[in-house]
Amino acid sequence: MVTKGKQRIPVLAGAWTTPSSTREKPQLIGSKCRSCGEVYFPKRNKMLCPHCQKETLEDIKLSRRGKLDTFTVVMQKPGGGYYFGPVPYALGVIELPDAVYVEAPLKVEKFKDLSVGIDMELVIEKVWEDPDGNELIGFKFKPI
Ligand SMILES: [Zn+2]
């Protein structure tokens, strides 16, 4: 009998760093243009900067903390069958000090704890587990 090990599958491949020690924490990976300074998330696969049209993009590690710019509470499962997590859930946009906005689910005990402008921090954790025990791993932001 072959037993397949439980897999940890990222929702977006290569979107964050994998720490090599417990002292390090994961960071989202973006792209920054060396020419015009524009920052993108998720990172772009090509060197071409859509803003200035030069091939001067490089990967950067984004800040782990930012401010909640806007959010909503989703009460109903989105259609299409591609969302498996529980509802309701909070979805927000985080403004990072790297001059980029990141859309992400929010990890929060009570939705009333959320308000625009509060400090948020990145967490990487299980989003969902499939019937075979494989874990889907995603990024979220939680209030600090
Ligand atoms: Zn540019």
Side-chain angles (χ1 to χ4, degrees):
M1 193 176 107
V2 178
T3 309
K4 229 169 87 176
K6 197 160 106 169
Q7 291 188 313
R8 289 168 60 88
I9 305 158
V11 289
L12 189 61
W16 60 82
T17 61
T18 304
S20 52
S21 80
T22 51
R23 290 209 317 257
E24 279 179 55
K25 293 193 166 179
Q27 287 176 266
L28 294 177
I29 302 171
S31 296
K32 183 173 185 172
C33 178
R34 286 193 308 270
S35 182
C36 73
E38 194 75 15
V39 179
Y40 303 91
F41 178 83
K43 73 171 189 174
R44 299 186 61 86
N45 290 325
K46 294 187 175 154
M47 291 280 292
L48 183 70
C49 174
H51 188 71
C52 72
Q53 306 297 316
K54 292 185 180 153
E55 294 196 348
T56 46
L57 288 182
E58 60 187 7
D59 290 357
I60 60 162
K61 291 179 190 174
L62 299 174
S63 302
R64 294 182 36 80
R65 292 183 172 186
K67 288 196 183 300
L68 186 58
D69 182 64
T70 187
F71 69 95
T72 188
V73 175
V74 180
M75 303 301 288
Q76 202 172 346
K77 270 187 196 286
Y82 54 83
Y83 177 78
F84 303 103
V87 285
Y89 68 96
L91 187 65
V93 176
I94 319 299
E95 181 184 8
L96 298 182
D98 316 282
V100 69
Y101 292 84
V102 174
E103 185 182 313
L106 306 177
K107 181 183 180 176
V108 65
E109 303 253 324
K110 299 180 184 123
F111 296 131
K112 68 179 176 65
D113 294 342
L114 294 172
S115 65
V116 168
I118 63 172
D119 292 318
M120 305 291 283
E121 186 177 46
L122 176 72
V123 286
I124 304 291
E125 64 175 27
K126 182 173 86 173
V127 176
W128 182 70
E129 193 172 310
D130 74 13
D132 299 328
N134 298 313
E135 294 182 344
L136 190 65
I137 308 297
F139 58 92
K140 298 178 183 177
F141 278 83
K142 66 173 186 185
I144 296 172

